[in-house]
Amino acid sequence: MNRRNPKQNQVDRLGYATHANSAASIEVLEISKSACEAISRHATQVAREFPDGIEKQSRAMANAGASILEQFIPEGTAALRKLSQFGKTVCVHLKGVAELPVPATPTSGSIDDRKIAAHDLVLAGALRIAGTDPIAFDFENSGLIARNVVANPAGRGKASSHGFDVMLFWHQDNCGQPFKGEPLDSNLPPMPVQLAFAGIRNHEQVPTRVLLVDDLLAIMPTAIRDILAQPLFRIGAPDSVAADGNGNLAIQNAPILRMDGSAWKMRYDPNLVTASTDAACAANEWLKLALSICKEKARDIIVNAGDLLVFQNYQLMHMRVAFEPLAPEQSRWLRRFYGS
Ligand SMILES: [Fe+2]
């Protein structure tokens, strides 16, 4: 689809709009069938060399996965590499990277990682090229690297990455932690720099809705921005941390926005923020309202089976719409790694 119109938005190769008032962009590349076949074949073979799986061999798997991607998709590799610095490219969606056998969706949230090792190899490789490595926090996701984003029947009615029928509102993952390099008085490690998703199954065509922080800032009054950049907020723990019994973890006297070099960084989840002054409270309310009416600035990315999505956590907000999953074994499944 080509909707080029200089008076409206720029449109990239596959039709994702890049708003003219934003320097940041989302890159989308369709991988050729022949490259997909080669990656799938090599990933399947090489994954057998890592019998202990992603939790124990993540660095070696990232190395091996990166080598395969570099060999067969140089253009995709170049796009991912742009994420290694804070700059114009904020999100990369590679479509049709691999076609791999997939077990039934683990709606409980856990699976024997060896069954999905080839996917993990490619996903870890994408993060490595983007400049980070897969990480785990000992207070979140049971201390594991891999999180299966699935529709867990027990998640009905919950706004969680294991939920489905309730919208998971705009947020940035683990926003209750310092930015990387931020001199904040906290013992917590930095919030993940990048998020990476492998599409395992998405017959329901559930979009991952994203919003560039730059696009949000473009409609934000300067007075609001200046308050959000002051250390006037407590930002608490997300669901995946609270589920591990660590709901008390939070950062105090923290800003929501931080200018770092030439880019604004942001950390936010309206459900996790408490403001310490009247002005901070008002700015927080403005932000919540802006996010609830920002749909025209947002865009929907459908991460299909075989796709990879990697983005900068500090420069992109994301959310999931409510949906009704198919039968459990065929229901939506994304594999998520944090990169830092
Ligand atoms: Fe999230």
Side-chain angles (χ1 to χ4, degrees):
M1 179 170 61
N2 189 346
R3 294 177 287 147
R4 277 189 196 283
N5 181 343
K7 290 182 180 171
Q8 295 179 346
N9 298 323
Q10 297 169 20
V11 172
D12 68 25
R13 271 171 286 186
L14 286 174
Y16 280 44
T18 301
H19 289 276
N21 59 2
S22 171
S25 70
I26 295 170
E27 291 204 27
V28 189
L29 291 175
E30 184 110 39
I31 304 305
S32 72
K33 193 78 183 159
S34 60
C36 172
E37 286 170 1
I39 290 169
S40 305
R41 195 169 56 249
H42 281 76
T44 302
Q45 285 171 0
V46 174
R48 296 191 189 111
E49 298 169 18
F50 301 99
D52 294 332
I54 193 68
E55 302 299 337
K56 291 183 177 160
Q57 297 182 285
S58 62
R59 295 208 165 212
M61 289 179 77
N63 274 337
S67 295
I68 293 171
L69 295 176
E70 284 163 353
Q71 183 178 354
F72 295 107
I73 50 167
E75 208 181 4
T77 298
L80 288 170
R81 220 167 253 141
K82 292 179 193 168
L83 293 171
S84 61
Q85 298 177 333
F86 282 104
K88 188 171 176 298
T89 300
V90 168
C91 176
V92 174
H93 180 197
L94 301 180
K95 302 176 77 164
V97 176
E99 264 183 30
L100 297 162
V102 180
T105 298
T107 53
S108 69
S110 64
I111 189 174
D112 180 345
D113 289 339
R114 289 171 295 188
K115 293 181 178 173
I116 197 101
H119 286 88
D120 287 351
L121 192 83
V122 173
L123 186 58
L127 272 180
R128 166 62 56 80
I129 294 167
T132 65
D133 272 324
I135 55 158
F137 297 118
D138 56 12
F139 50 80
E140 191 254 7
N141 193 33
S142 307
L144 298 172
I145 289 171
R147 183 165 177 87
N148 294 301
V149 178
V150 292
N152 186 330
R156 184 174 285 280
K158 294 179 185 167
S160 159
S161 66
H162 282 169
F164 49 92
D165 61 331
V166 174
M167 173 180 67
L168 189 56
F169 194 66
W170 291 110
H171 66 281
Q172 284 152 302
D173 276 26
N174 290 42
C175 56
Q177 295 170 223
F179 292 121
K180 188 168 188 286
E182 179 187 23
L184 194 68
D185 183 16
S186 169
N187 293 324
L188 291 169
M191 59 189 279
V193 174
Q194 294 174 339
L195 267 61
F197 293 90
I200 312 295
R201 184 176 276 129
N202 190 5
H203 298 308
E204 298 95 333
Q205 297 288 280
V206 180
T208 300
R209 187 164 290 165
V210 299
L211 175 68
L212 292 163
V213 167
D214 273 10
D215 280 347
L216 184 60
L217 287 163
I219 59 168
M220 186 182 291
T222 309
I224 300 287
R225 189 193 68 194
D226 291 348
I227 295 168
L228 295 175
Q230 291 178 39
L232 299 173
F233 303 90
R234 177 192 189 274
I235 309 177
D239 179 61
S240 60
V241 172
D244 281 9
N246 297 306
N248 59 330
L249 295 181
I251 49 176
Q252 312 276 354
N253 304 316
I256 287 168
L257 288 169
R258 176 176 158 83
M259 171 52 79
D260 210 336
S262 59
W264 282 99
K265 294 177 174 178
M266 182 168 168
R267 62 184 155 212
Y268 193 63
D269 181 330
N271 298 312
L272 303 177
V273 165
T274 311
S276 64
T277 68
D278 288 349
C281 191
N284 185 33
E285 292 302 317
W286 183 95
L287 191 48
K288 278 190 228 177
L289 182 62
L291 286 170
S292 67
I293 57 173
C294 68
K295 187 145 185 259
E296 70 175 38
K297 295 273 186 189
R299 58 206 81 170
D300 285 350
I301 297 176
I302 296 181
V303 182
N304 277 309
D307 290 5
L308 294 176
L309 182 71
V310 185
F311 60 82
Q312 307 284 33
N313 191 30
Y314 304 173
Q315 292 179 288
L316 194 77
M317 304 199 76
H318 62 282
M319 65 164 287
R320 177 194 35 74
V321 300
F323 73 104
E324 202 51 49
L326 295 179
E329 65 277 8
Q330 286 297 311
S331 61
R332 178 179 183 256
W333 178 11
L334 307 182
R335 189 94 162 149
R336 186 207 73 192
F337 293 170
Y338 286 154
S340 204

